[in-house]
Amino acid sequence: MPDIESLLKEKRTFKPDREFTRQANWNKKQTAEYRAMADKNPERFWAKMAKENVSWFTPWKKVLDWKPPFAKWFVGGKLNVSYNCVDRHLEGENAWRRNKAAIIWEGEPGDTRTITYGELHREICKFANVMKSQGVKKGDRVALYMPMIPELSIAILACTRIGAVHSVVFGGFSAEALRDRINDAGAKLVVTADGGYRRGAPYPLKPAVDEALEGTPSVTSVVTVKRTGEPTRMQAGRDHWWHELTDEASAVCEPAKLDAEHPLFILYTSGTTGKPKGILHTTGGYLTHVTTTAKVLFDLKDSDTFWCTADIGWVTGHSYVVYGILANGATTLMYEGVPTHPGPDRFWDIIERWGVTIFYTAPTAIRTFVRLGDEHPKKHDLSSLRLLGTVGEPINPEAWMWYHRIIGKKKCPIVDTWWQTETGGIMITPLPSSVDTKPGSATNPFPGIDAAIFSEEGNEVDPPNGGYLVIREPWPGMLRGIWGDPKRFKETYWSKYKNIYFTGDGAHRDQDSYFWIMGRVDDVMNISGHRIGTMEVESALVSHTKVAESAVVGRPDSLTGTAIVAFVTPKSGETVDDVLKEELRTHVTKQIGAIAKPKEIRFTDALPKTRSGKIMRRLLRDIASGRSVGDTTTLEDFSVVAKLREGDEA
Ligand code: PRX
């Protein structure tokens, strides 16, 4: 395991800044107390967090009901997420927040909007009433396919207000991918926009919805936000403009009193089969988890302007652009476009202009900035920053050091946060006031999270050995299932070890018990912090008329972490050339979206298989990354390897 070797050489440690610790929401002493409480009795700890950080209409009767693998948290409790994110900031001693910025939004062309908590409340109520008028009821699913504009946050919160279940589909996914997700969830309503801005130009979204809706019997209406003003086809009876409906809607809508286990959202993520999984999260536990983690490890205060650069189409955006930040009454910044438009300093310009205090981004972005050169951040005053975070993939120590020196000016703590779509909120992370950080390590589990590293046989392994990262005890933000597929839920997460959650990641701990995440151990790739299943790309490739078979693997990439390499066997008689390569890349983009487009396509007469017919992925991974080919004793046809390697040289 070469990754373990290289990471173990990392000896640098960074102590929490004294000034920072003094003012932290949890100082050293409190952190130690909470940790001790959580270690002794995690339920007691989480109950305390739920009481302190979340407002309930009705208190729960039981903290946890655990019938593995099904958990219920805060049983009998009633609450509303939009009430927690907005209404409670307009009442009592918090009422001064009415005219405080809840969302600061910046469009890529440079247009901006600042929405106060008072305004956000009105907009949410109006859109909740619009949804009701479109026949959406408690428990109905609503698909959101939108650019990063405030209406996306408004629509999400409006769903929570009436108990509709949102399913946000990242705007970069294709019409086909959208259709599959709409059908799997059985969505009644689709909310979209005419388009958005990216890399200096408008791009359309509504046409993809029109295409997807050719095969989605459950959808009865579509609401479209006018963002770009480009000509947009509207289908009478089905399609409505957001502004027309909301103009007429009432701004009064009581928040529904929902059960703690009421479904909050479905978010699709890649797995080891071709079909994405609809990860289901529910209300009370999820909100407790994201609100608590945001308050403690981002040290969120009323005075903070928090910027998480993730798109709301991913779980990071759900938990830490919208829910965790607004529930704490802080200001969340949303940006529509790419980091390099109109120039390579766009992010630093945004931080300077808005006085961003906390910045949370992905290692891929940091590596891009390292390449672009230090002169761009150095042109800007970044002194408002007081804490930095990373998420989505392992960060290489040199990128961490750059972030620390050039962006954090050596004074900002860095929280490297490990978590997943399935975990709902952050699981392994330094607490900035009290944990020494090491570049490249997510350090320790959050209090109340029982993470461990297991051997294949299910024994905990001793440092510094590597193994599988597992979570031994249930936690409030955990997924409650895969939408409509309890069997797959059990098989994917709970079958490797009995009653223990299997993350799909490899990791090891060092002598100080720090966790070092080594990446996926299954057939899931992590491209720029986004999960793509090898099987999904393979299914897309074989759906092309000229392809007989394909195998997809990831290989290390210095920018995106992993790059997609596709080995393709064309049907006999097909000409293999660069034209076909391009055709296949475009085909995958059409089937899934640009993020799944293979970086490299290699044609081969046959794929290496074991005698039992299984594709030898490990071997393909070695070939794709130029490593020496490992053990091939089970190979059915040795000549295949030689041919694949010839392709290497070509
Ligand atoms: O492999 C881990 C990696 O991202 C996976 C989860 O992907 P997703 O569900 O899309 O959620 C991403 C954002 C929460 C994990 O299984 N990952 C996430 N954070 C880290 C990480 N790997 C290393 N270090 C991290 N901080």
Side-chain angles (χ1 to χ4, degrees):
M1 295 218 181
D3 286 351
I4 301 184
E5 294 291 317
S6 61
L7 287 171
L8 275 181
K9 290 192 193 108
E10 183 53 61
K11 290 278 191 301
R12 290 169 285 203
T13 57
F14 295 84
K15 295 217 165 303
D17 181 77
R18 269 215 200 128
E19 260 325 286
F20 184 93
T21 300
R22 200 164 303 140
Q23 60 77 60
N25 285 343
W26 279 14
N27 62 25
K28 254 191 166 131
K29 189 164 155 270
Q30 280 161 320
T31 306
E33 280 169 18
Y34 279 133
R35 243 190 226 294
M37 178 198 285
D39 286 348
K40 211 167 137 206
N41 187 342
E43 283 180 43
R44 189 164 152 236
F45 167 76
W46 284 117
K48 188 166 171 56
M49 294 302 110
K51 217 172 251 170
E52 261 175 31
N53 302 325
V54 172
S55 305
W56 300 79
F57 297 131
T58 311
W60 59 86
K61 293 198 174 69
K62 192 174 177 198
V63 178
L64 171 66
D65 175 10
W66 178 224
K67 294 196 179 65
F70 299 101
K72 288 185 185 151
W73 280 87
F74 309 117
V75 184
K78 291 209 186 303
L79 74 163
N80 183 282
V81 171
S82 80
Y83 176 87
N84 272 274
C85 289
V86 186
D87 302 48
R88 65 171 172 166
H89 306 310
L90 310 175
E91 295 169 358
E93 60 179 27
N94 293 330
W96 66 271
R97 289 191 185 128
R98 174 170 292 278
N99 289 327
K100 170 183 177 172
I103 299 176
I104 292 177
W105 173 82
E106 184 160 315
E108 199 192 64
D111 46 342
T112 69
R113 276 167 73 187
T114 301
I115 300 176
T116 64
Y117 273 99
E119 274 179 294
L120 185 59
H121 183 259
R122 282 195 295 282
E123 295 304 321
I124 291 167
C125 289
K126 281 185 181 184
F127 196 66
N129 284 327
V130 165
M131 286 198 291
K132 283 189 195 166
S133 74
Q134 296 302 309
V136 176
K137 296 197 176 58
K138 180 174 149 183
D140 285 346
R141 276 78 59 209
V142 176
L144 310 174
Y145 184 66
M146 300 172 78
M148 278 288 279
I149 53 176
E151 285 81 357
L152 175 51
S153 302
I154 293 166
I156 280 180
L157 290 161
C159 286
T160 72
R161 197 158 191 89
I162 61 172
V165 183
H166 62 76
S167 163
V168 183
V169 180
F170 172 58
F173 279 122
S174 66
E176 302 254 353
L178 173 63
R179 181 187 299 149
D180 290 347
R181 286 159 176 76
I182 289 174
N183 283 335
D184 189 80
K188 197 172 205 176
L189 172 74
V190 178
V191 187
T192 187
D194 50 0
Y197 288 90
R198 227 180 134 69
R199 293 185 214 289
Y203 65 88
L205 269 180
K206 176 68 167 44
V209 174
D210 292 337
E211 195 185 328
L213 263 55
E214 281 164 21
T216 53
S218 58
V219 177
T220 50
S221 57
V222 178
V223 178
T224 305
V225 178
K226 190 171 262 187
R227 162 69 184 130
T228 62
E230 298 284 309
T232 299
R233 192 174 69 84
M234 298 292 272
Q235 186 177 308
R238 186 195 73 182
D239 296 355
H240 312 273
W241 286 109
W242 172 293
H243 57 275
E244 287 177 3
L245 294 182
T246 49
D247 273 359
E248 292 162 10
S250 150
V252 179
C253 176
E254 281 303 305
K257 294 186 167 65
L258 300 169
D259 195 89
E261 282 299 331
H262 185 72
L264 179 64
F265 67 84
I266 303 168
L267 183 58
Y268 287 85
T269 189
S270 296
T272 51
T273 74
K275 191 174 175 284
K277 309 175 273 200
I279 302 300
L280 174 68
H281 284 286
T282 60
T283 303
Y286 170 84
L287 191 67
T288 300
H289 189 164
V290 298
T291 308
T292 306
T293 46
K295 174 174 157 186
V296 175
L297 66 98
F298 292 133
D299 194 44
L300 263 193
K301 305 245 166 48
D302 246 318
S303 49
D304 278 313
T305 299
F306 180 93
W307 184 18
C308 165
T309 66
D311 192 290
I312 293 176
W314 310 108
V315 75
T316 309
H318 282 58
S319 300
Y320 301 106
V321 174
V322 187
Y323 291 127
I325 311 306
L326 295 176
N328 276 292
T331 299
T332 187
L333 192 140
M334 267 178 92
Y335 169 60
E336 178 187 35
V338 300
T340 47
H341 184 85
D345 63 337
R346 180 64 182 265
F347 271 20
W348 320 124
D349 182 47
I350 291 178
I351 290 175
E352 178 175 6
R353 261 186 301 108
W354 293 109
V356 171
T357 55
I358 304 169
F359 181 59
Y360 189 38
T361 196
T364 293
I366 298 169
R367 288 192 293 267
T368 308
F369 298 133
V370 173
R371 278 199 191 177
L372 290 169
D374 299 357
E375 63 271 27
H376 307 297
K378 281 187 174 157
K379 268 200 310 232
H380 293 277
D381 177 3
L382 305 180
S383 58
S384 57
L385 288 173
R386 63 182 199 91
L387 188 141
L388 303 173
T390 72
V391 58
E393 5 154 18
I395 183 163
N396 45 312
E398 291 326 308
W400 194 101
M401 288 304 299
W402 182 90
Y403 202 32
H404 168 69
R405 271 198 336 265
I406 306 295
I407 307 305
K409 312 289 183 213
K410 299 188 184 167
K411 71 172 175 65
C412 300
I414 297 181
V415 290
D416 173 352
T417 61
W418 177 89
W419 57 297
Q420 307 178 299
T421 306
E422 291 86 342
T423 69
I426 292 166
M427 302 288 279
I428 304 182
T429 176
L431 295 187
S433 65
S434 47
V435 174
D436 294 0
T437 48
K438 301 185 188 185
S441 169
T443 75
N444 296 303
F446 192 78
I449 301 296
D450 184 15
I453 298 176
F454 273 18
S455 67
E456 188 68 43
E457 297 74 36
N459 302 314
E460 191 167 3
V461 301
D462 295 324
N465 295 319
Y468 300 111
L469 180 63
V470 298
I471 314 293
R472 285 186 289 212
E473 295 292 334
W475 67 99
M478 68 193 281
L479 77 165
R480 300 301 197 265
I482 295 178
W483 186 257
D485 202 344
K487 191 163 158 263
R488 190 171 176 199
F489 172 61
K490 284 183 195 159
E491 274 165 12
T492 311
Y493 305 108
W494 307 95
S495 66
K496 191 163 177 74
Y497 306 113
K498 193 169 183 317
N499 299 346
I500 285 186
Y501 174 79
F502 175 60
T503 64
D505 276 358
H508 76 104
R509 294 176 94 161
D510 66 16
Q511 274 74 4
D512 302 322
S513 287
Y514 278 39
F515 283 77
W516 298 79
I517 312 297
M518 290 145 50
R520 304 290 308 187
V521 292
D522 52 13
D523 291 328
V524 175
M525 300 170 288
N526 189 328
I527 317 294
S528 304
H530 300 311
R531 269 159 70 170
I532 306 288
T534 53
M535 279 290 291
E536 271 173 277
V537 185
E538 285 166 12
S539 326
L541 284 165
V542 296
S543 73
H544 190 279
T545 49
K546 294 179 186 163
V547 174
E549 199 176 19
S550 97
V552 168
V553 295
R555 76 154 150 73
D557 183 276
S558 62
L559 195 63
T560 56
T562 303
I564 303 178
V565 180
F567 293 87
V568 173
T569 309
K571 285 190 181 148
S572 61
E574 295 296 346
T575 328
V576 293
D577 54 13
D578 285 348
V579 178
L580 181 56
K581 275 189 189 171
E582 222 21 65
E583 210 177 301
L584 294 179
R585 283 157 50 87
T586 311
H587 183 70
V588 174
T589 307
K590 176 133 183 32
Q591 295 285 310
I592 308 173
I595 43 167
K597 184 157 75 178
K599 183 149 188 184
E600 206 185 313
I601 292 193
R602 294 189 183 195
F603 292 115
T604 169
D605 291 343
L607 292 167
K609 291 188 184 158
T610 60
R611 279 184 207 108
S612 63
K614 272 179 84 174
I615 293 175
M616 299 187 72
R617 285 172 192 285
R618 181 176 49 82
L619 192 129
L620 290 175
R621 272 196 289 269
D622 287 346
I623 293 171
S625 52
R627 286 194 292 263
S628 63
V629 174
D631 179 23
T632 56
T633 45
T634 48
L635 247 189
E636 184 199 16
D637 178 1
F638 287 93
S639 67
V640 170
V641 181
K643 285 195 187 130
L644 287 167
R645 289 187 77 60
E646 275 165 29
D648 214 5
E649 268 108 56

